[in-house]
Amino acid sequence: MATLQSDEEGLLERGWAALPASYRIPDVAPTLAEARLYCRRLAESHYENFHVASWFLSKAVRRHFHAIYAYCRIADDLGDEVGNPAQSLALLGAWGRELDACYEGQARHPVFVALRETIQACSIPKQPFADLLTAFRQDQSVTRYASMPDLLAYCRCSANPVGRLVLYASGQADEERFRLSDATCSALQLANFWQDVRADFARGRIYLPQDDMRRFGVSEETLAGGVATSGFRALLGHEVAFTHGLFEEGLALIGKVDRDLALDLDLFNRGGREILRAIERRDYDVLAVRPTLAKGTKRALVLRAVGARALPFLRPRGRAARKAGPPPVAVPEALALARAYAACEVIAKRQAKNFYYAFVALPPPRRHAICAIYAFMRQADDVADDESLSREERRRRLGNWLEAWHEVRRGAATADPVFLAVRDATERFAISGELLDELVAGVAMDLNPAADDAPETYATFADLYRYCYRVASVVGLVCIRIFGYQDRTAEKLAEETGIAFQLTNILRDVAEDAGHNRVYLPLEDLKAHSVSLDSLLHREPGTPPTANERALLADIGRRAEGYYHSARLLLPLIDRESRPAMWVLASIYHHLLERIRRADYDVFSRRASVPLVKKLGILVVGHTRIALARLSA
């Protein structure tokens, strides 16, 4: 017995010697004030993100957070920073005995002196603290995980107790909040695992599930080689996508806690998701270089979180539960699909202009789908607008492009990222193929005239309406399927909202379209206002409109204004989390119409546009209005 005790004392001594001297358990307990100062210094010096987050907590809550953090930090170091499993187990045993002493009022370590106050003030049970020690002990012997459920079981002890302790400390502990907190904490733990694959492997640990490694053809030799193969990238893309889902599930917690705690949750959630985006930006190669967040990115995250505290409507919000989606993507397509959506977002960001400012207000799955649909529209337009080719050749190429899409929609393999993303989006949001065919049919209407030199015109407003329906209303009908709605009235309103947007585009682009031998203003309206077709097609650049032309354009503007009423009626019919995007989109287009009106319909001297500052202002105001609507609901 004495030998065993001597061995343990030797392990403890060697273990303490490998750690900062301040970690040792003193012979005499410090005062409560000294213990609080110890925990605060440890929290503020050891972890920058925690320090930043704690700025926004009240002093009373902050010291509880410091105590909890100090407990977790030292316990983690006892398991990870010693380098000898036997010594770590001995140290964790001593830390566990000190935890027992804390609940008995006999602890000597400053962390437990401060923690005793927190435990009593916040009625915290011992189990979350004990679970963390279970995880750290497990790290000394378990270095591989067979499946994702096994890894999540580990997270239940290694990460989830931290979130529960925070909820206890802030006086907001209940089962619903625990469930949402567990999702966020597990996501943060997984994000760190994916970030640290190389470093963990160097320590002899692999947190990538073994069954997933086999599924994607990744061996330990792959990790040892340090080269991110296509299989490794696909594997990590799969794990990152799963982790995004956990973050989304946990987002609802931000709206269920008080504003002080919401800031912390917001900051850590944003930070975790930004780590995932950093991994994505590296094309899932975490073996060559560990993805990290630049200081500028961290500052931006803090500023966004601070803005969310001042303006609660800016907080990210998720669904209370993850909705069922389509079946999992086939393994060979996992990475390709992630890349495909990223490619579509690049296209939308570069070319969508007014649309993109609305896209950013959507939750990621909906934003990705909208970007895919936009990229699809852009491809069709690019084929139809290639004026280096004859109309007949453009019609032929558009037909071939559409047939290729039909093949992909039926399940054919494709290397086209837009087709791959759109196929997934249409399955995910139940978008019918007929709607996309209608959209392409609208694009093809610009190629209808038989002669290359014949101008494109529409005899009546009814003819123009059919064109606007195909190129714009159909887009609205696709979008509301992504936005989500229940009332079928939304479909007619989305159709008419699309008409409003397209008429605004037509007004803005009268001069540009005329340069391409197109006049979308109905010929019957030209006649009613005594405006000749030739005066629009062949005019000196920059020549201001005549009185008759202004009256003609004002007439079209009044029609557009009438259809914007439908956009206002549509807004409350779509899913709440999509309303900011819809509001922003309608507001930007309506403001564009206002600018045309204020210029007295002079669309020839200068092309109307909405300034960037105004667009950003509309984005903020849109969120504000949605927040007020939620408060009054």
Side-chain angles (χ1 to χ4, degrees):
M1 189 70 176
T3 301
L4 290 175
Q5 186 174 0
S6 176
D7 287 345
E8 183 175 6
E9 289 175 355
L11 289 172
L12 284 170
E13 182 56 36
R14 290 192 294 275
W16 289 125
L19 295 166
S22 62
Y23 281 16
R24 288 177 179 265
I25 300 173
D27 293 330
V28 179
T31 65
L32 178 58
E34 290 170 337
R36 287 177 181 171
L37 179 61
Y38 178 98
C39 294
R40 178 172 66 83
R41 286 176 174 170
L42 183 64
E44 293 181 353
S45 64
H46 205 293
Y47 190 26
E48 178 184 350
N49 288 351
F50 185 89
H51 184 197
V52 170
S54 67
W55 288 345
F56 305 100
L57 298 170
S58 67
K59 281 189 176 182
V61 174
R62 195 183 309 163
R63 68 169 180 262
H64 296 322
F65 274 49
H66 289 162
I68 290 170
Y69 174 81
Y71 171 87
C72 297
R73 177 71 274 156
I74 293 181
D76 191 25
D77 286 350
L78 297 181
D80 258 2
E81 300 302 321
V82 176
N84 182 292
Q87 293 172 15
S88 288
L89 287 172
L91 291 171
L92 290 167
W95 202 244
R97 290 191 292 276
E98 194 71 0
L99 175 64
D100 293 337
C102 173
Y103 274 85
E104 296 166 2
Q106 303 296 322
R108 303 192 310 273
H109 196 285
V111 166
F112 290 100
V113 173
L115 198 61
R116 172 73 176 175
E117 176 191 36
T118 294
I119 288 168
Q120 291 180 323
C122 306
S123 302
I124 305 178
K126 187 190 296 185
Q127 193 61 48
F129 295 110
D131 284 345
L132 286 168
L133 296 184
T134 297
F136 298 143
R137 292 189 187 100
Q138 183 173 322
D139 283 337
Q140 308 312 310
S141 58
V142 179
T143 59
R144 305 291 188 274
Y145 292 86
S147 65
M148 180 58 76
D150 293 323
L151 187 58
L152 290 176
Y154 169 73
C155 292
R156 279 196 286 274
C157 288
S158 68
N160 298 0
V162 177
R164 293 184 175 222
L165 289 171
V166 167
L167 289 170
Y168 276 117
S170 59
Q172 299 173 76
D174 60 47
E175 288 305 317
E176 173 64 8
R177 292 188 178 102
F178 284 162
R179 182 183 66 80
L180 297 172
S181 171
D182 289 350
T184 298
C185 290
S186 290
L188 286 166
Q189 178 79 87
L190 294 179
N192 286 333
F193 287 157
W194 314 147
Q195 181 185 30
D196 291 331
V197 169
R198 185 177 65 167
D200 287 332
F201 184 74
R203 296 189 185 101
R205 297 174 185 165
I206 298 176
Y207 291 104
L208 293 163
Q210 298 290 293
D211 59 358
D212 286 347
M213 289 178 66
R214 288 190 295 272
R215 179 183 173 196
F216 287 91
V218 176
S219 65
E220 294 195 16
E221 287 71 23
T222 305
L223 305 184
V227 176
T229 63
S230 59
F232 177 83
R233 294 176 195 269
L235 166 63
L236 207 60
H238 174 77
E239 309 300 4
V240 165
F242 176 83
T243 308
H244 271 305
L246 284 179
F247 274 123
E248 183 181 347
E249 181 175 336
L251 276 176
L253 180 61
I254 296 173
K256 294 179 180 293
V257 297
D258 64 34
R259 291 179 62 190
D260 287 337
L261 181 57
L263 177 86
D264 263 22
L265 297 177
D266 191 357
L267 183 58
F268 282 107
N269 198 294
R270 290 178 192 272
R273 286 181 291 145
E274 191 59 36
I275 287 173
L276 296 184
R277 284 191 282 269
I279 293 171
E280 291 167 340
R281 286 193 293 271
R282 288 198 56 80
D283 199 15
Y284 304 101
D285 181 2
V286 297
L287 298 180
V289 178
R290 180 180 185 268
T292 58
L293 303 187
K295 287 185 178 180
T297 301
K298 290 181 180 179
R299 284 194 294 268
L301 292 173
V302 173
L303 290 174
R304 290 174 196 161
V306 172
R309 183 175 190 255
L311 304 170
F313 55 84
L314 292 180
R315 297 175 190 166
R317 295 181 181 270
R319 292 179 288 274
R322 289 157 65 194
K323 295 181 179 179
V329 179
V331 174
E333 291 187 4
L335 180 58
L337 183 58
R339 289 175 173 169
Y341 274 121
C344 292
E345 188 148 2
V346 168
I347 293 170
K349 188 172 184 179
R350 185 176 63 243
Q351 298 181 325
K353 298 177 183 178
N354 291 340
F355 266 34
Y356 191 75
Y357 289 94
F359 293 168
V360 297
L362 285 171
R366 300 188 195 237
R367 184 179 73 247
H368 295 160
I370 288 282
C371 287
I373 296 300
Y374 176 83
F376 181 88
M377 293 159 46
R378 184 75 267 158
Q379 277 194 347
D381 279 340
D382 288 346
V383 174
D385 289 345
D386 187 353
E387 294 185 350
S388 67
L389 304 173
S390 68
R391 293 181 189 275
E392 183 58 39
E393 178 62 16
R394 279 181 271 169
R395 281 196 292 270
R396 187 187 68 78
R397 293 193 180 191
L398 188 62
N400 290 342
W401 177 85
L402 183 60
E403 182 53 38
W405 157 243
H406 287 163
E407 289 295 323
V408 171
R409 192 177 70 194
R410 289 191 288 265
T414 180
D416 187 323
V418 173
F419 282 176
L420 185 58
V422 171
R423 180 172 64 190
D424 182 73
T426 54
E427 292 172 356
R428 188 178 300 272
F429 292 99
I431 300 168
S432 72
E434 289 74 12
L435 280 174
L436 296 187
D437 287 352
E438 282 267 29
L439 189 152
V440 178
V443 171
M445 289 176 72
D446 286 339
L447 303 175
N448 282 341
D452 282 356
D453 58 350
E456 298 170 31
T457 59
Y458 293 88
T460 66
F461 183 75
D463 296 327
L464 180 62
Y465 190 102
R466 282 192 291 273
Y467 168 76
C468 293
Y469 172 84
R470 284 181 162 175
V471 299
S473 295
V474 170
V475 177
L477 292 170
V478 170
C479 285
I480 63 169
R481 281 157 175 79
I482 297 171
F483 290 161
Y485 68 98
Q486 300 297 324
D487 190 335
R488 294 293 297 272
T489 305
E491 295 176 9
K492 182 61 176 175
L493 296 174
E495 173 187 327
E496 294 177 350
T497 298
I499 301 297
F501 291 174
Q502 190 62 24
L503 290 178
T504 303
N505 283 338
I506 287 171
L507 283 172
R508 178 195 61 192
D509 296 335
V510 168
E512 181 180 336
D513 289 332
H516 292 286
N517 208 26
R518 299 169 181 164
V519 173
Y520 291 107
L521 306 174
L523 295 180
E524 65 178 6
D525 289 349
L526 267 67
K527 182 177 181 181
H529 291 279
S530 300
V531 174
S532 70
L533 180 62
D534 190 65
S535 70
L536 298 178
L537 289 171
H538 308 291
R539 65 186 302 122
E540 286 295 322
T543 304
T546 65
N548 286 352
E549 288 169 343
R550 291 183 196 273
L552 165 66
L553 297 173
D555 192 28
I556 300 297
R558 283 189 290 272
R559 283 178 177 165
E561 187 63 53
Y563 288 115
Y564 275 106
H565 180 65
S566 296
R568 291 188 286 273
L569 297 177
L570 173 62
L571 185 63
L573 298 185
I574 62 176
D575 286 0
R576 180 169 293 175
E577 66 179 5
S578 299
R579 291 176 196 168
M582 181 65 223
W583 195 95
V584 169
L585 190 59
S587 296
I588 288 175
Y589 268 92
H590 193 232
H591 188 74
L592 178 59
L593 181 61
E594 286 291 326
R595 289 182 70 85
I596 293 171
R597 183 183 294 119
R598 286 200 297 269
D600 198 14
Y601 296 97
D602 184 357
V603 294
F604 299 105
S605 300
R606 183 179 180 182
R607 188 174 188 266
S609 64
V610 180
L612 176 60
V613 172
K614 181 64 179 180
K615 289 177 182 177
L616 294 177
I618 289 173
L619 184 62
V620 172
V621 173
H623 280 282
T624 303
R625 292 195 174 191
I626 297 304
L628 293 175
R630 287 172 179 158
L631 290 174
S632 62

